[in-house]
Amino acid sequence: MELKPATLAGPTLAGTALTLIHAGRAATRSELTSQLGVTRATTGAITAELRDLGLIVVDSGPGGGHQGRPSHRVVPDPEGPVALAAQVHPDGYAVALVGLGGVIAARRAWHAPVPADPGLVFGEVAEAAADLLRTSRRRCVGAAACLPTAVTRPQGTAIRALYVGWPDGSPVRELFAAELTRRGVAAPAGFSAVNDVNAIALAEHRHGAGRDAGHLLVLVAEHRGVGGGLVLDGSLYTGSTGLAMEAGHVSVDPYGRPCVCGNRGCLNVETDAARFLESAGRELPAQGPILDEAIALLRDGYQTDARVRQAADAIVERLGLGLAGLINVINPDRVLLGGMHGALLAVAPGPLREAVARHSPWGHGAAIPVEACSLDDAGLIGAAETAWQPVLDNPVLIRSLPD
C-alpha cells in the first residue's frame, strides 16, 4: 500500500526536518536525507508536505549533491508565516515579525520611558504589533515577549522586575496575551514570555555565534544590569521553575556596591554599563539608552583616554573573576559575551581572556573559547524562537492558522 506524504513524514520526522532547515543545518534535500537517516523518497515526501504547508520552498535549481547528482535546495519560505516578537527594556520597546530561519521580516522600535504598570506597557506594545501584522498581511503562528526580568515557568510571572518598576509577581504572559487578543491577534501556537538574556542565548545558539556548541554559556550586559543564559544540548536551561542562570547575581566583591537583589558586589552592578560610565567619570544620561552611550565611549576612548581605560580594565578584572566561577561550575564548551561585555571583548580581548584564566583553577578556563555574540536583535529573534517552537515540534499545527 502506498503511504500518503503526511503519514510518511509524521509530526516528529517532519518537525526534525523543519528544525534542520530553520537552523540552516540542511540546505539541500541531499543534506536533509543524510541527517534524517531516511531514504530519498521519504525526504521527498517530507519536503513536499512542508512546502504544501507554506513553510519551505523547494528550489528546482541544482543545489549540489553527491557523486555528481544534483540536489534541490530547501529553504524557509520568505513569504511564509511569522512569529510575533516583542522586547521591553528600561529604555524602550521593540516589536518584530520573525520568519523561519530567524529572519526579521518587519520591525519597529522606539525609545520611551517604561511605565511602572505592565498592563500599560503591553497595551502600547500590542498596539504596535497588531499594526505591524495588519500592514504585513502575514499569518502569525504565535507571540512571545522577552523582558528584563526573571520569568517563572509555566506561569509566566515576572520576578523582581525592578529595572522597569513592575510589581513583583506581575502576570506578564497573561497581560501580553490579553492585550494582543483584545486587538484581534490570534496565536495558535500560544503566547509566551521569556527573560531577555535567555532569548539572546537561544537565538545565538540557533542562528549566531553559538551554533554547534553543546554547552553554551551566554553573559550579557544589556540596557541595565547583567544577565546569563545557558543552552544545553540544544535546549534552553531554565531550572525547575524558569529562574535558573541569574548569573548577574554572582558576587565578585562581598564589600562592593549594593545590588537590587539585596547582596553586594554582584556582576549586575560591578560590570554593567552604568558602572562603567560612572567609573569613567561620565554622568548617566537622564534620558536615552545608557548601553549605547557606554559602548560608544568604550570603543572611542579605550585607546586614547586613560580614565576610560582604567574603568574598563577594572570591569575586565571583575568580569574575568565572575566568568571563571561560572565556567568552573558549568563547564561549558563555549562562552559568548553580549552588550557591553561584547564591546569589552572587542577592545581588550587579551586582558579579558587572561583574567578568566588567572582566576580558573588549573587554568581550565583558559581553554574555553570566549567570543562575542553576533546577532543584531538577538532578543527579538530568541523570543520568536519560543513562539515558533510548537510548530517546529509539529508542523501540522500550521493548518490551524487563519487565512
Side-chain angles (χ1 to χ4, degrees):
M1 181 178 68
E2 183 179 357
L3 297 177
K4 296 180 180 179
T7 306
L8 277 170
T12 301
L13 200 53
T16 301
L18 184 61
T19 299
L20 289 168
I21 297 168
H22 167 65
R25 294 169 55 197
T28 67
R29 286 203 309 203
S30 175
E31 293 174 357
L32 202 55
T33 298
S34 175
Q35 296 207 49
L36 291 175
V38 298
T39 66
R40 290 166 54 201
T42 299
T43 299
I46 293 170
T47 55
E49 181 179 7
L50 295 176
R51 178 200 61 205
D52 293 343
L53 290 170
L55 293 168
I56 70 168
V57 172
V58 181
D59 188 348
S60 58
H66 299 292
Q67 299 177 347
R69 179 182 297 140
S71 181
H72 294 161
R73 288 182 54 81
V74 286
V75 296
D77 188 338
E79 302 299 325
V82 293
L84 172 61
Q87 183 170 16
V88 178
H89 57 78
D91 296 321
Y93 317 83
V95 293
L97 305 182
V98 186
L100 283 169
V103 176
I104 293 181
R107 178 186 182 277
R108 291 181 187 172
W110 62 105
H111 296 297
V114 176
D117 181 349
L120 294 178
V121 173
F122 288 118
E124 294 181 21
V125 167
E127 188 66 34
D131 184 61
L132 205 60
L133 277 171
R134 284 191 297 269
T135 302
S136 73
R137 299 179 180 271
R138 303 281 284 272
R139 295 189 298 165
C140 178
V141 299
C146 68
L147 310 168
T149 174
V151 180
T152 63
R153 182 178 56 86
Q155 298 90 345
T157 59
I159 303 297
R160 303 298 295 273
L162 299 180
Y163 284 119
V164 286
W166 296 348
D168 195 21
S170 295
V172 289
R173 181 180 61 81
E174 290 182 7
L175 292 169
F176 181 54
E179 293 297 336
L180 286 173
T181 301
R182 187 172 295 124
R183 290 161 177 81
V185 176
F191 301 90
S192 59
V194 62
N195 169 264
D196 53 3
V197 181
N198 279 345
I200 290 170
L202 191 58
E204 290 288 344
H205 183 268
R206 292 187 177 176
H207 305 290
R211 285 188 181 191
D212 303 321
H215 295 70
L216 177 67
L217 170 64
V218 178
L219 199 68
V220 179
E222 271 282 273
H223 297 268
R224 300 287 194 285
V226 175
L230 181 63
V231 181
L232 300 178
D233 295 325
S235 297
L236 188 65
Y237 177 73
T238 58
S240 60
T241 61
L243 304 180
M245 284 309 299
E246 284 294 309
H249 299 295
V250 170
S251 178
V252 292
D253 182 357
Y255 304 104
R257 288 186 165 197
C259 180
V260 292
C261 72
N263 292 323
R264 283 185 172 272
C266 295
L267 288 172
N268 207 47
V269 292
E270 297 292 352
T271 69
D272 71 336
R275 176 68 154 136
F276 168 65
L277 287 174
E278 291 176 359
S279 297
R282 289 354 188 232
E283 292 186 4
L284 299 183
Q287 293 183 340
I290 289 177
L291 178 63
D292 292 348
E293 182 164 332
I295 290 176
L297 178 63
L298 184 61
R299 289 175 177 169
D300 296 340
Y302 185 77
Q303 298 295 341
T304 59
D305 188 318
R307 189 165 183 182
V308 169
R309 187 181 187 112
Q310 183 179 21
D313 288 346
I315 288 182
V316 162
E317 184 64 22
R318 299 185 198 107
L319 180 58
L321 177 61
L323 275 176
L326 290 167
I327 288 170
N328 294 337
V329 172
I330 295 168
N331 188 28
D333 55 9
R334 193 176 311 170
V335 174
L336 297 183
L337 302 179
M340 201 195 74
H341 290 169
L344 272 172
L345 182 63
V347 300
L352 182 52
R353 292 190 176 101
E354 289 166 7
V356 173
R358 187 164 56 252
H359 293 295
S360 297
W362 315 290
H364 172 68
I368 306 300
V370 179
E371 303 169 10
C373 294
S374 64
L375 296 176
D376 295 329
D377 291 317
L380 289 169
I381 294 171
E385 289 295 314
T386 67
W388 269 111
Q389 194 59 55
V391 176
L392 294 174
D393 293 337
N394 185 4
V396 299
L397 287 177
I398 210 75
R399 291 175 179 154
S400 64
L401 295 187
D403 295 329

